[in-house]
Amino acid sequence: MDDVTATPKQWSVDDGPATPKERGVYAAALASLPRATPRRLDQLLRKQDPAKVWKKVETGQMAKWVAGDDLHDIWRDHARGTDLTAMAAQLESLDAWVTTPANIQHPFALIYDLDPAPILFRRGRMPDPTAPAVAIVGTRRCTPTGRSVAMELGSGLAAAGVTVVSGLALGIDGAAHRGALATDGAPVVGVVGSGLDVVYPRGNRDLWEAVSAAGTLLSEAPLGAEPEGWRFPARNRLLAALADVVVVVESKRAGGSMHTVEEAIRREVTVMAVPGSVRNPAAEGTNLLLSEGCAPACSTEDVLVALELATAGPPGGTQPSLALSRRVQSGNAVSGIELDLLQKRLLDFLDDGPVSLDTLVLRTGAPAPEVLVAAEGLERLGLLARDGARVLRA
């Protein structure tokens, strides 16, 4: 294990091979080189000892075909100015580990991937390589319904012993992890697009800490790396590579979730999508995936069947969907309360995504004041939620 919990006393490989502790620090230093993309680091390392590779970079003996003349001198000067002792201390303060393909704890799936991950920073335990894994992804700007579905999927899969993988972003990603962490199930894996010491988004700081405490927090980015745009497509390929199934809960037609889908398809990883209303902009991408032949994920059982951990129901039988179970829960919450005709019609017309009251007026044909009163009554009962000036089924 590339353990960096102790600072090496001497940073020289002249007297013999580096210790595992030292190799972790040297690998972290290599990742800190300017413009050191995963592909360049893979060419640079080639499964060699990071300490010896660092020595070549520092002395200007690195083969120029790896990064070209322009980076050759930049990397040499950067290496000569790097304080390895300070880097080791920083890794220790974060309780972070660094692995390369030569290390037994480097995820096997990322060693022989189409686009390998040559250096990984980790906080927390290593994920069980034998456990099935599902990546749950989706838009940051999700609806309350999408967030609820992501949490239910995360919770149900973790309870079934499935590793839930996601990107720790706002919206669907974070909801999936929160759901998985809420149950006493399989550890989760969060893959981030910044250094382990640069929490992004800041609003998920508590989630970062929870994931690293109860599961695994992974990054290719060196310490101090800001969440630059190019790092997220690179992060998305890791989500796909680590997963046996990718589930998209809500997504626009373009964006990070669809990029993860593309990476999954490249790796022949099964892609599933949660159906959404045709009037819900956040479901445009998922509905497109369904129209193109992706399997629907209407329940945790659907995903478990795709993983071959459960069998499909009998022919002609049905399994309760996530949306149906949510409606049953809502119905139980107002047991004994009779809704008037307009309130029932509003619930029938409400889509998964937010709609304006004006739209509801048009759909019901009722006067605007009556629709407003009915909507307020549903909100008090917990059956309707507000999203700014719009409303949706709670």
Side-chain angles (χ1 to χ4, degrees):
M1 181 181 297
D2 290 340
D3 182 358
V4 296
T5 56
T7 304
K9 296 180 180 179
Q10 183 177 356
W11 296 101
S12 173
V13 295
D14 294 335
D15 299 327
T19 67
K21 296 177 182 180
E22 292 173 325
R23 284 197 295 272
V25 179
Y26 283 117
L30 289 169
S32 75
L33 294 171
R35 290 152 54 192
T37 62
R39 181 160 297 185
R40 282 175 174 156
L41 287 173
D42 185 51
Q43 293 175 329
L44 184 63
L45 272 171
R46 293 291 182 182
K47 299 184 182 180
Q48 299 180 71
D49 186 330
K52 298 193 177 198
V53 174
W54 178 259
K55 190 69 174 179
K56 290 180 180 179
V57 173
E58 188 179 32
T59 57
Q61 299 177 32
M62 178 191 71
K64 292 189 177 182
W65 64 266
V66 172
D69 291 337
D70 59 333
L71 281 182
H72 187 274
D73 293 341
I74 292 174
W75 282 7
R76 181 199 60 206
D77 294 342
H78 177 89
R80 290 176 179 176
T82 298
D83 187 340
L84 295 176
T85 301
M87 185 170 290
Q90 189 177 9
L91 287 166
E92 181 180 2
S93 70
L94 289 169
D95 194 21
W97 304 69
V98 188
T99 61
T100 68
N103 187 284
I104 193 172
Q105 296 221 359
H106 199 76
F108 186 82
L110 301 182
I111 297 177
Y112 298 102
D113 186 58
L114 300 174
D115 298 309
I119 297 175
L120 284 175
F121 294 76
R122 171 175 60 85
R123 290 182 63 192
R125 73 184 77 178
M126 281 303 299
D128 181 356
T130 65
V134 171
I136 301 178
V137 299
T139 179
R140 290 171 170 81
R141 297 185 177 181
C142 62
T143 66
T145 296
R147 185 178 293 108
S148 174
V149 169
M151 289 188 69
E152 290 179 41
L153 284 172
S155 176
L157 290 170
V162 177
T163 300
V164 174
V165 183
S166 204
L168 276 176
L170 296 174
I172 296 300
D173 289 27
H177 269 144
R178 291 186 190 279
L181 290 168
T183 186
D184 185 19
V188 299
V189 175
V191 187
V192 299
S194 60
L196 294 184
D197 56 336
V198 181
V199 177
Y200 178 81
R202 294 181 180 178
N204 275 354
R205 179 176 292 276
D206 66 321
L207 194 54
W208 276 53
E209 296 302 323
V211 168
S212 62
T216 308
L217 192 63
L218 284 177
S219 178
E220 282 186 291
L223 298 182
E226 295 295 329
E228 301 170 87
W230 69 268
R231 293 193 183 278
F232 291 95
R235 184 274 309 271
N236 293 342
R237 89 187 195 285
L238 301 186
L239 295 177
L242 290 169
D244 298 301
V245 172
V246 170
V247 178
V248 189
V249 177
E250 282 185 337
S251 174
K252 300 290 182 66
R253 285 176 174 263
S257 302
M258 301 306 279
H259 182 264
T260 303
V261 168
E262 292 171 3
E263 294 293 341
I265 292 172
R266 287 182 64 207
R267 292 162 174 78
E268 299 184 350
V269 172
T270 299
V271 177
M272 305 181 74
V274 174
S277 166
V278 295
R279 294 188 177 92
N280 177 11
E284 289 179 354
T286 50
N287 288 337
L288 175 63
L289 291 174
L290 292 170
S291 71
E292 292 177 343
C294 288
C298 298
S299 66
T300 299
E301 287 75 18
D302 286 345
V303 184
L304 294 177
V305 169
L307 290 168
E308 299 183 353
L309 297 178
T311 56
T318 58
Q319 295 185 19
S321 68
L322 295 171
L324 177 60
S325 66
R326 184 174 60 256
R327 290 171 187 163
V328 170
Q329 292 167 2
S330 296
N332 292 338
V334 293
S335 178
I337 298 177
E338 187 69 27
L339 301 180
D340 63 36
L341 181 60
L342 182 53
Q343 287 176 325
K344 292 178 181 178
R345 291 181 65 195
L346 287 181
L347 288 180
D348 288 338
F349 280 114
L350 278 175
D351 304 305
D352 290 343
V355 297
S356 68
L357 285 172
D358 289 340
T359 301
L360 286 179
V361 170
L362 290 173
R363 291 181 185 174
T364 60
E370 293 181 16
V371 171
L372 180 59
V373 171
E376 289 176 347
L378 291 172
E379 186 177 8
R380 286 195 298 271
L381 294 173
L383 298 178
L384 180 145
R386 291 184 181 271
D387 180 19
R390 299 177 297 176
V391 295
L392 69 160
R393 189 188 291 271

